[in-house]
Amino acid sequence: MIHLKNISKRFGKQTVLHDISVEIAPNQITGLLGPSGSGKTTLIKCLMGMEKYDAGLITINDVTVPNRKLLNKIGYMAQSDSLYHDLTGKENIELFAHMYGKRISKKHTQAILDLVQLDQDKHKLVEHYSGGMKRRLSLAITFIHQPEFLILDEPTVGIDPVLKMNIWEQLHALKESSTLFITTHIMDEAMKCDQLLLMKNQRIAASGSPQEILETYGVSDIDQVFLKLEGEK
Ligand SMILES: Nc1ncnc2c1ncn2[C@@H]1O[C@H](COP(=O)(O)OP(=O)(O)O)[C@@H](O)[C@H]1O
Ligand SMILES: [Mg+2]
């Protein structure tokens, strides 16, 4: 279980996160939704122990973040891809598996390459991959091991609609063994989450299941919730 309690974070004089308290439910997909620059990546970095928070407390399974011991429980996909450009796609998967201390079978490697539709390009060097292909490879890497927590920062940017649907099906299948926390600024993706956290003005402005939020605000899509929140300012 992930708990954030009264988290605040500033960069110089700019407050990016203000007094954020959230519980992230296990075995669900929680979506963090907010416009660009609203602090989603910063929140995730605080959660990963990559960025220091100024106030409050973050715990994962009752262990205070940051703690190295937590890292093998977490699969993380960064917003900017961190791949080895002088290796092929397949080699990247094998190398990351090795880094996670996993022996990955040929069959499993093939299955995740198929899942993100990179089978045709698996022997190409990553430096010749397009942005979308790198994104898909990064996603494939998070599927190598089944960590207790999967934290994905805008995982489907640059991925075409059909593949995006397959990936979301896969994410829902992963719920059985993992807790997923995903950022997005795409509204139709938000509707696919079990729980949503809407960010506005450095705070969580609304939370609940997509349906609950729509009912609370009496609107038919999440965009309109943001418009209403804008009006409340
Ligand atoms: N390392 C940093 N130093 C200074 N400002 C930063 C840094 N990282 C992010 N910011 C600022 O914090 C705000 C939130 O950024 P970010 O968390 O990346 O938002 P999002 O992921 O929602 O687009 C932005 O105004 C951004 O410019
Ligand atoms: Mg971001």
Side-chain angles (χ1 to χ4, degrees):
M1 176 80 135
I2 302 178
H3 277 261
L4 287 86
K5 227 178 142 208
N6 307 111
I7 295 304
S8 294
K9 169 75 187 168
R10 281 189 326 196
F11 288 113
K13 286 191 178 141
Q14 184 194 6
T15 299
V16 178
L17 305 173
H18 182 79
D19 200 24
I20 290 186
S21 294
V22 188
E23 287 182 9
I24 297 167
N27 301 100
Q28 297 218 316
I29 301 179
T30 299
L32 179 64
L33 188 65
S36 176
S38 61
K40 302 182 298 294
T41 297
T42 304
L43 188 113
I44 281 197
K45 284 188 173 170
C46 288
L47 199 59
M48 291 297 300
M50 297 161 79
E51 197 68 81
K52 260 180 76 180
Y53 41 102
D54 301 322
L57 182 68
I58 302 179
T59 60
I60 298 180
N61 292 351
D62 299 320
V63 176
T64 302
V65 172
N67 187 313
R68 292 175 60 128
K69 287 189 194 129
L70 289 170
L71 292 180
N72 62 2
K73 293 188 195 302
I74 306 176
Y76 167 63
M77 177 179 164
Q79 192 168 18
S80 57
D81 300 303
S82 43
L83 300 165
Y84 292 89
H85 285 225
D86 51 351
L87 298 178
T88 68
K90 183 164 171 279
E91 285 166 346
N92 265 275
I93 290 177
E94 288 162 351
L95 179 68
F96 276 95
H98 186 72
M99 283 176 6
Y100 295 145
K102 299 264 169 194
R103 279 177 62 97
I104 187 164
S105 66
K106 277 200 177 124
K107 206 171 138 205
H108 187 39
T109 305
Q110 193 53 49
I112 56 182
L113 281 165
D114 285 338
L115 178 73
V116 297
Q117 296 177 6
L118 279 177
D119 180 51
Q120 300 276 316
D121 303 294
K122 65 184 171 192
H123 296 306
K124 241 189 220 168
L125 291 181
V126 168
E127 66 179 333
H128 300 136
Y129 273 22
S130 69
M133 287 160 77
K134 286 187 215 164
R135 209 76 202 122
R136 281 183 272 151
L137 182 59
S138 295
L139 192 59
I141 286 166
T142 63
F143 293 148
I144 292 173
H145 60 333
Q146 284 221 330
E148 189 176 341
F149 301 98
L150 256 180
I151 297 179
L152 310 174
D153 198 357
E154 305 211 19
T156 58
V157 170
I159 290 178
D160 72 68
V162 175
L163 181 53
K164 206 155 86 175
M165 247 168 53
N166 296 343
I167 287 169
W168 270 92
E169 273 173 28
Q170 182 64 24
L171 294 178
H172 276 282
L174 289 170
K175 281 193 306 198
E176 218 173 290
S177 53
S178 302
T179 298
L180 293 93
F181 189 56
I182 294 175
T183 72
T184 180
H185 63 265
I186 305 164
M187 302 298 162
D188 69 316
E189 282 201 334
M191 294 308 289
K192 296 190 169 83
C193 296
D194 302 306
Q195 295 292 323
L196 281 180
L197 304 168
L198 268 52
M199 283 193 84
K200 183 95 214 325
N201 299 333
Q202 302 86 43
R203 298 159 210 260
I204 304 295
S207 63
S209 72
Q211 214 49 49
E212 280 166 1
I213 292 178
L214 294 183
E215 276 168 27
T216 304
Y217 286 84
V219 293
S220 55
D221 68 56
I222 296 287
D223 276 323
Q224 295 175 48
V225 177
F226 276 101
L227 289 174
K228 283 215 164 178
L229 288 170
E230 196 70 46
E232 276 175 12
K233 220 172 28 177

